[in-house]
Amino acid sequence: MTSIVTVTLNPTIDVFGEAEAVRPTHKVRLGGTTYEPGGGGINVARMIRELGGATTAIALCGGEMGSFLARLLTEEGIALQPVAISGQTRVAFMVRDRSSGLEYRFVPEGPRVEIADVEHCVAAISLHREGYVVASGSLPAGAPSDCYVRLAKAAQRNGLAFVLDTSGEALRAALEHGGLFLVKPSRSELEAYSGGPLDETGLAREAQKLVEAGKSRFVALTLGADGALLASPEGVLRLPAIPVPVRSAVGAGDSFLGAMVWALTENWSTADAFRLGLAAGSAAAGNIGATLCTREDVFTLYQRVHAC
């Protein structure tokens, strides 16, 4: 079985509930409250586990909430390699207003970390000798912009394929380092990297330029309601969105990435793995709250996109 390691530098406990109406000043009482392990790489690991894959999640964990995160992951059957930090793992809140159907998301910055914490993640990656490392999520406070470069170098030293989903200066630094296996920017993230707005042709051109320049072997560009495109050494594959009622954006991009990487470890073609990723992202968007989609949801939608 091909090894998959995920890395989350700023994980969360995602608390979700529903209210009759969200109003200022008044107490907003919630029903259907759930507690889910969250954050970029954690959600990637959860999607892989749902599809039947095995993964090890490396995550910075601190305080009582860090212990709670570990317990939630254990209950889901996900192996955790915790890296202890002095701060408290953050707690994010999502509230669905039943009266309007709108979802409100409150995401704290999270604990400040030290460079030594990041180096402990580098050391944890160095214990693995084959497979994939998937790093996903924003950088926590205090983390230098080259964090993902450090992780990529550790993976590359051991012959591991490095997969990245992040934004801003962290994305720029990793792309400038180059040699990534797969990167998954959104439209706005690619436009920020490229320096301005891009039309359909420009998006495909810029994604393909990253491949040709050796920045990343594959670029999976997610475009929300406009679908996604995959740039590879073979060219560009463009797929439309799968029509689903969008109920939440939580974990959609991570579900896309987790499903695509899982399919690659199962020796699917890159194009079919990309299709499965699109199906998983759409399935996650159709769910309410922080609960990710099921394997059945993903493969039902995959049948619809497979003809594309």
Side-chain angles (χ1 to χ4, degrees), residues 6 123 149 186 193 196 226 264 303:
T6 68
V149 175
S186 65
Y193 177 80
D226 293 324
L264 291 172
Q303 295 303 318

Side-chain angles (χ1 to χ4, degrees), residues 23 28 30 36 53 64 75 114 128 141 163 199 222 224 281 291-292:
R23 299 178 296 169
V28 178
L30 304 181
E36 309 272 355
E64 292 81 358
E75 290 173 354
E114 305 295 335
H128 298 269
V163 178
D199 59 13
T222 50
T291 301
L292 300 185

Side-chain angles (χ1 to χ4, degrees), residues 18-72:
E18 294 187 292
E20 288 303 323
V22 177
R23 299 178 296 169
T25 307
H26 298 273
K27 290 181 179 178
V28 178
R29 300 192 182 277
L30 304 181
T33 306
T34 60
Y35 300 84
E36 309 272 355
I42 296 293
N43 284 331
V44 170
R46 296 175 71 205
M47 185 73 260
I48 292 168
R49 178 69 180 86
E50 176 62 29
L51 292 173
T55 182
T56 298
I58 299 171
L60 297 181
C61 299
E64 292 81 358
M65 289 300 103
S67 299
F68 186 31
L69 176 70
R71 179 163 70 81
L72 290 174

Side-chain angles (χ1 to χ4, degrees), residues 3-306:
S3 169
I4 308 173
V5 176
T6 68
V7 183
T8 314
L9 299 179
N10 203 8
T12 66
I13 303 295
D14 288 333
V15 181
F16 171 78
E18 294 187 292
E20 288 303 323
V22 177
R23 299 178 296 169
T25 307
H26 298 273
K27 290 181 179 178
V28 178
R29 300 192 182 277
L30 304 181
T33 306
T34 60
Y35 300 84
E36 309 272 355
I42 296 293
N43 284 331
V44 170
R46 296 175 71 205
M47 185 73 260
I48 292 168
R49 178 69 180 86
E50 176 62 29
L51 292 173
T55 182
T56 298
I58 299 171
L60 297 181
C61 299
E64 292 81 358
M65 289 300 103
S67 299
F68 186 31
L69 176 70
R71 179 163 70 81
L72 290 174
L73 288 171
T74 298
E75 290 173 354
E76 292 196 12
I78 295 172
L80 175 66
Q81 233 179 304
V83 174
I85 60 173
S86 59
Q88 188 80 243
T89 293
R90 61 183 177 160
V91 179
F93 295 89
M94 284 143 279
V95 179
R96 182 174 180 269
D97 183 326
R98 292 195 188 103
S99 65
S100 65
L102 297 176
E103 181 181 82
Y104 296 86
R105 302 173 67 184
F106 305 91
V107 183
E109 183 179 48
R112 188 173 186 84
V113 304
E114 305 295 335
I115 191 60
D117 300 324
V118 178
E119 288 302 319
H120 287 314
C121 292
V122 170
I125 288 173
S126 299
L127 299 176
H128 298 269
R129 294 290 184 268
E130 61 177 1
Y132 294 77
V133 174
V134 185
S136 178
S138 59
L139 294 183
S145 60
D146 72 342
C147 274
Y148 288 125
V149 175
R150 296 168 187 248
L151 300 182
K153 287 180 177 178
Q156 290 160 354
R157 282 194 295 268
N158 283 1
L160 305 169
F162 191 75
V163 178
L164 180 63
D165 181 10
T166 192
S167 59
E169 289 306 309
L171 174 62
R172 181 175 299 278
L175 287 174
E176 291 309 304
H177 165 69
L180 309 182
F181 177 78
L182 168 66
V183 65
K184 193 204 73 60
S186 65
R187 179 182 195 131
S188 62
E189 289 161 357
L190 183 61
E191 287 177 335
Y193 177 80
S194 302
L198 297 168
D199 59 13
E200 179 82 14
T201 301
L203 290 168
R205 181 184 64 248
E206 291 300 318
Q208 193 64 31
K209 280 170 61 177
L210 293 177
V211 174
E212 292 170 355
K215 305 297 185 184
S216 184
R217 180 173 175 80
F218 301 102
V219 178
L221 179 64
T222 50
L223 302 169
D226 293 324
L229 68 81
L230 176 69
S232 74
E234 288 71 47
V236 174
L237 172 61
R238 180 73 167 85
L239 294 178
I242 306 171
V244 295
V246 177
R247 297 186 175 92
S248 175
V250 179
D254 297 322
S255 296
F256 180 110
L257 194 60
M260 185 171 178
V261 172
W262 172 82
L264 291 172
T265 67
E266 295 291 306
N267 297 317
W268 289 33
S269 70
T270 307
D272 281 342
F274 176 61
R275 291 183 174 96
L276 189 74
L278 183 61
S282 299
N287 274 357
I288 293 173
T291 301
L292 300 185
C293 51
T294 66
R295 178 185 173 95
E296 181 181 4
D297 294 336
V298 173
F299 278 93
T300 296
L301 291 183
Y302 174 71
Q303 295 303 318
R304 290 167 57 181
V305 75
H306 190 256

